[in-house]
Amino acid sequence: MSDAMTFEALLDDAFERYLADAPVEVDPAAVAAQVASPKGRRTLGWLPQLSRELGFSKRAQVIVLIALLIAAALAVVAVGRFLERNQLSLVLPGSPSMEAIYVRAAARGVDIVAVRPEGTERVVRHLESSAYLQGLTFYPGGHVSEDGWIALGTESSPGTWSGGGDADPYWALLDLGDPTRPVVQVHTNGGPTSAWSANGIFASPFGLQCCPIRITNPRTGATHDLSLNCCGGGPSTILAADGSGGLTHFGGDGARARYALLVPADPPSFTDVPAMAFREPRFATPGGRSLYVCLPPSQLGTPDCADPGAWVYDGTGDPIDWTRGDLAGFMNAGLTSDGQALWLLYVRSTESGSEALLYKATAPGLATVVWRQTLPDNVNWVSLGAFALDDSLVTVYLTDLSLNDSVDHGSRLVSLRDGKDSSPNGSFAGYVRGDIVESWR
Amino acid sequence: MAIPEITANQVLVAEAASGDHVAFSRLVATYHPAMARVAYAITGDRETAADAVQIAWGTAWRRLGSLRDRSTIRSWLVAIAANEARQVLRRQHRRRVVEIASVVESDGGGDPSDRISTVDRARVLRSLDPDERTLLALRFGAGLDSSQIAAQLGMSASGVRSRLSRLIDRLRVDLGHE
């Protein structure tokens, strides 16, 4: 024992002498000024995050992968079932199922359609443009919040919303639960890249430079502008906006973007909100886990992706390998809402054509098929859309990329619980709990 | 129920968390040396360590409001510095192998048999991975105990003690102090 203490004392002494060269000199005021400046915050905020995504030791990867594979081999069934139960436990017994909301063009306005997991649907609202707008019409597309507000695009004539023809476009926010409430207008840059947070706060880009984001609480009318430093890429999707930040992907070619967690430079005025809600191919969870997929250039990978694979970063930024190498036909991936498992979407060739396969990977190297769909001849590209917060539903988009310009072939609404799907018409807008939808009737 | 005592330091942390630059600069003055020592212990390079600590201060500024127990500010900041240093080291490992600085210097005085030479120290540190260096840095560089390390690294205290014990045993063998 005394020998051990002696050696520890020696180590202590060795470290003390070694650390005599540590760069302890500092100008405290300069450090404070730098980190507190908008420039400093941006630089120190998202660059390290991106760097982390692109740089970590090979040795650590191998060690972690081996350890995880051994653990998975020892507890394949038990761990898989545990994770399955854990993931599904997010949905409380007896809780109402989620329903998908679609927007369809209709006479003098739009119809709001709710689609249940088994595919049955009904029109829950008909919104006439003239009842809410002056000189404008609703564009048949938008985003719906968890609690039933919807953001609809507006246009002065058909095509100006999607084509950018209006000089000062805005979203119209409506309460589907109370259609008598006046519409709330939110100026935007006309793009579809906006989203609701879990507590019903709406975020939308409104400028053309460096994507400033306007956060709006439609119930109070309060707004707050955030400056997200994503110059050069622009956010193609804002996944969350709850006052603590926006989660977005940018760069790449749109289909294969680079991801980053962006922290706003200006703390917003309302921060007392629940955990962030993540939609679209979910690549981060409130616990801090994040997903990074690196595809080779032959699959539209980013140029700096030299080591194809999919891995998850834990809350401290340490990587955990999930799959490596076997990414032929890989299309998309997303985390489950608890961050404990992955959804992996592939297109594989069959004797008669091709099929889409959606896997749930509950541990590295351990995946089961949850949805399989033979694809029409003219569809060669599929991508994951939004997941319901309880992981009960996902939207999968079908596209033909064999032409110079992509051709949209609609979407499938997939029940992740039984693998059944449906093909609702219209523009997908989000998910709302069934009991809330019922209250609109 | 006893009302927890609020120290001047906790007030300082609260002021900094609310965006007070002066309070934040006082935190920098107080805790920068400990963070720099830990970052240097992990990276072995002054410039890299300085970069890591600078990034760490940016992280601290953004996350200060989320620090629940303000009495743990020192171990919290040191852990951030350690994490950033580890990340910097990993990034550099991806591009090239980073050598821990092997300073050719005299240890000066004392009984050589009782001390760990600079050459041995550098050689052994080179053999450790960033996680192992982090553990040693937090224990010997920052003087954190197992519970404090565990709280910052998300491990159990017994897990930290176990890993440190194995690490120290290995160092004892590597340094010929069996």
Side-chain angles (χ1 to χ4, degrees), chain A residues 3-342:
Chain A
D3 179 51
M5 290 178 65
T6 302
F7 182 71
E8 284 203 32
L10 281 175
L11 271 182
D12 214 358
D13 172 66
F15 257 92
E16 199 55 43
R17 284 180 290 125
Y18 180 64
L19 296 178
D21 290 329
V24 297
E25 325 74 43
V26 68
D27 179 348
V31 171
Q34 184 172 4
V35 300
S37 71
K39 180 182 178 185
R41 286 196 198 187
R42 287 198 298 269
T43 301
L44 296 170
W46 61 270
L47 273 181
Q49 177 79 16
L50 275 183
S51 301
R52 267 183 222 128
E53 291 176 352
L54 299 174
F56 48 81
S57 87
K58 199 82 174 175
R59 185 178 170 193
Q61 291 175 33
V62 172
I63 291 171
V64 169
L65 179 60
I66 291 172
L68 287 172
L69 287 177
I70 291 172
L74 291 174
V76 166
V77 175
V79 170
R81 286 180 178 169
F82 170 78
L83 290 174
E84 186 74 17
R85 281 199 304 272
N86 196 36
Q87 186 259 320
L88 291 177
S89 70
L90 290 170
V91 183
L92 297 175
S95 63
S97 59
M98 302 294 282
E99 297 191 23
I101 304 297
Y102 287 77
V103 183
R104 291 178 188 163
R108 299 178 298 280
V110 295
D111 282 341
I112 309 300
V113 181
V115 182
R116 294 194 178 98
E118 72 276 14
T120 58
E121 59 181 56
R122 70 259 196 226
V123 176
V124 290
R125 283 280 180 266
H126 171 72
L127 304 174
E128 291 209 10
S129 300
S130 60
Y132 298 93
L133 308 172
Q134 290 186 335
L136 296 172
T137 56
F138 286 127
Y139 171 77
H143 308 282
V144 70
S145 72
E146 297 295 314
D147 59 350
W149 279 74
I150 193 165
L152 290 170
T154 62
E155 51 191 7
S156 58
S157 59
T160 57
W161 174 262
S162 55
D166 289 331
D168 191 18
Y170 64 83
W171 290 102
L173 310 188
L174 296 99
D175 183 359
L176 290 174
D178 182 6
T180 63
R181 288 177 78 151
V183 68
V184 176
Q185 297 183 3
V186 178
H187 288 273
T188 180
N189 58 16
T193 59
S194 302
W196 291 94
S197 69
N199 62 332
I201 293 172
F202 187 66
S204 59
F206 67 92
L208 298 178
Q209 299 297 321
C210 295
C211 51
I213 306 297
R214 177 154 294 171
I215 308 292
T216 303
N217 184 338
R219 295 156 202 79
T220 64
T223 62
H224 191 97
D225 295 342
L226 304 178
S227 178
L228 298 184
N229 183 41
C230 45
C231 303
S236 45
T237 303
I238 302 165
L239 291 176
D242 65 354
S244 65
L247 192 62
T248 179
H249 61 93
F250 63 93
D253 63 358
R256 296 285 176 232
R258 291 172 65 181
Y259 298 143
L261 176 65
L262 299 177
V263 178
D266 304 314
S269 56
F270 31 80
T271 57
D272 53 331
V273 293
M276 290 203 288
F278 298 96
R279 297 178 176 78
E280 306 291 320
R282 190 191 286 127
F283 60 86
T285 56
R289 281 198 163 202
S290 59
L291 168 67
Y292 185 73
V293 177
C294 171
L295 292 176
S298 59
Q299 286 180 247
L300 298 177
T302 50
D304 53 2
C305 174
D307 193 13
W311 58 90
V312 173
Y313 286 88
D314 65 17
T316 64
D318 289 329
I320 304 169
D321 276 21
W322 280 80
T323 180
R324 188 160 289 275
D326 182 23
L327 292 174
F330 174 85
M331 294 284 132
N332 247 172
L335 287 162
T336 54
S337 58
D338 63 359
Q340 297 297 313
L342 285 186

Side-chain angles (χ1 to χ4, degrees), chain A residues 4 7 10 13 16-19 21 23-25 28 34-36 41 44-45 51-52 54-55 318, chain B residues 21 24-25 32 36-37 40 44 46 54 61-62 84 87 90-91 94 100 107 114-116 121 172 177:
Chain A
F7 182 71
L10 281 175
D13 172 66
E16 199 55 43
R17 284 180 290 125
Y18 180 64
L19 296 178
D21 290 329
V24 297
E25 325 74 43
Q34 184 172 4
V35 300
R41 286 196 198 187
L44 296 170
S51 301
R52 267 183 222 128
L54 299 174
D318 289 329
Chain B
H21 295 188
F24 190 75
S25 68
H32 187 88
R37 283 161 56 88
Y40 182 63
R46 282 178 56 87
Q54 187 175 2
W61 170 253
R62 292 195 312 274
E84 296 296 352
Q87 300 299 343
R90 282 183 171 146
R91 290 198 291 274
R94 187 179 173 86
I100 292 288
D107 281 321
D114 285 343
R115 306 187 70 173
I116 300 172
R121 191 174 60 222
R172 184 184 290 111
H177 280 255

Side-chain angles (χ1 to χ4, degrees), chain B residues 86-163:
Chain B
R86 196 170 46 167
Q87 300 299 343
V88 168
L89 202 60
R90 282 183 171 146
R91 290 198 291 274
Q92 292 185 337
H93 265 290
R94 187 179 173 86
R95 293 192 292 271
R96 58 188 170 86
V97 175
V98 174
E99 295 290 309
I100 292 288
S102 178
V103 183
V104 181
E105 43 141 310
S106 166
D107 281 321
D111 182 349
S113 64
D114 285 343
R115 306 187 70 173
I116 300 172
S117 76
T118 303
V119 174
D120 282 346
R121 191 174 60 222
R123 176 178 60 79
V124 169
L125 283 175
R126 263 201 305 272
S127 72
L128 303 179
D129 69 27
D131 291 339
E132 293 169 332
R133 289 183 207 177
T134 300
L135 271 181
L136 287 180
L138 293 176
R139 172 67 186 85
F140 295 105
L144 301 188
D145 62 30
S146 300
S147 300
Q148 291 171 313
I149 296 173
Q152 297 304 329
L153 297 185
M155 302 170 63
S156 67
S158 60
V160 170
R161 280 194 291 273
S162 171
R163 286 190 64 176

Side-chain angles (χ1 to χ4, degrees), chain A residues 313-405:
Chain A
Y313 286 88
D314 65 17
T316 64
D318 289 329
I320 304 169
D321 276 21
W322 280 80
T323 180
R324 188 160 289 275
D326 182 23
L327 292 174
F330 174 85
M331 294 284 132
N332 247 172
L335 287 162
T336 54
S337 58
D338 63 359
Q340 297 297 313
L342 285 186
W343 306 106
L344 297 166
L345 183 63
Y346 287 79
V347 168
R348 292 273 162 80
S349 296
T350 63
E351 290 183 357
S352 57
S354 62
E355 64 178 1
L357 292 159
L358 181 61
Y359 293 88
K360 183 178 183 181
T362 50
L366 179 64
T368 54
V369 176
V370 295
W371 176 66
R372 181 192 297 263
Q373 176 66 240
T374 299
L375 295 174
D377 290 341
N378 55 1
V379 171
N380 53 20
W381 191 263
V382 296
S383 58
L384 291 171
F387 288 94
L389 284 179
D390 64 354
D391 279 327
S392 61
L393 294 166
V394 68
T395 310
V396 179
Y397 292 96
L398 312 182
T399 311
D400 179 4
L401 284 182
S402 59
L403 305 173
N404 289 332
D405 195 8

